[in-house]
Structure formats: C-alpha cells, structure tokens
Amino acid sequence: MTTVTKLAVTGMTCGHCVSAVTNELKEVPDVQDVSVELHAGETSLVRVISKLPLAEAPLRDAVDEAGYDVTDVDVLENAVAAESAAQAPARQANRTLPIVSS
C-alpha cells in the first residue's frame, strides 16, 4: 500500500526553496519520495510518498526547519488504488466507440 501525504506550503518562491523543503522531508523516517509543485509566492503543493501513513508533526517540523509554513495536510492512503479508481471513468470514456449510422 502506498500513502501520499499532500502538504500545502506557503513562502516558497524558487528552485532553492524546493530543494530545501525536499531535502528536509527526505530526512524524515519512512519517507520514500518527495515531489513539489511550485507556485511562486502562493501555496505550493508538496507530495510525500510513504508505504504507511506518516505522523503529521515530523513533516511540519521538517518544512519549518527549511523555513516555510504548512497550511494544510491531506493524507491519501492506498493512493495507487484511489488514483486508479478516480481515473476509471475517463479511461472508460476513451474506450467507448462512437455510434455510426449508415
């Protein structure tokens, strides 16, 4: 099972900010990967990948150590299955053949 913890982070403006947050979060035990969707000067989306759900406090502390603020946390357990289910209607729509009249 894969868990994705989404963090809304404010204050990041550049690649250095992304690097600082990524490096701090990768030091948190059980974090497998980190990706950042930077929205300079606005709220950026940070995804933390782990096998099991992570405690929120160490993630907030890591972002704080990098110099930024977490404004929201969302945890998606069994992320692969959830994302697959969410995409299923679109995949099905792509497989539907049009009706052609002769």
Side-chain angles (χ1 to χ4, degrees):
M1 175 165 57
T2 300
T3 301
V4 176
T5 304
K6 297 178 184 179
L7 307 173
V9 178
T10 59
M12 295 194 301
T13 59
C14 64
H16 180 316
C17 302
V18 170
S19 179
V21 168
T22 300
N23 291 336
E24 288 294 334
L25 285 169
K26 283 187 174 182
E27 295 296 319
V28 174
D30 299 320
V31 169
Q32 293 181 317
D33 197 15
V34 176
S35 67
V36 178
E37 186 178 309
L38 178 65
H39 298 280
E42 298 178 13
T43 303
S44 298
L45 177 62
V46 179
R47 289 180 183 87
V48 180
I49 310 298
S50 59
K51 285 191 183 215
L52 299 172
L54 300 168
E56 186 176 321
L59 300 176
R60 285 183 177 273
D61 290 345
V63 172
D64 183 63
E65 183 67 28
Y68 307 97
D69 296 312
V70 175
T71 60
D72 191 35
V73 177
D74 183 31
V75 178
L76 180 60
E77 294 184 46
N78 202 5
V80 173
E83 288 179 8
S84 180
Q87 294 171 359
R91 284 195 308 271
Q92 184 62 36
N94 289 339
R95 291 185 184 149
T96 304
L97 299 174
I99 298 174
V100 179
S101 58
S102 43

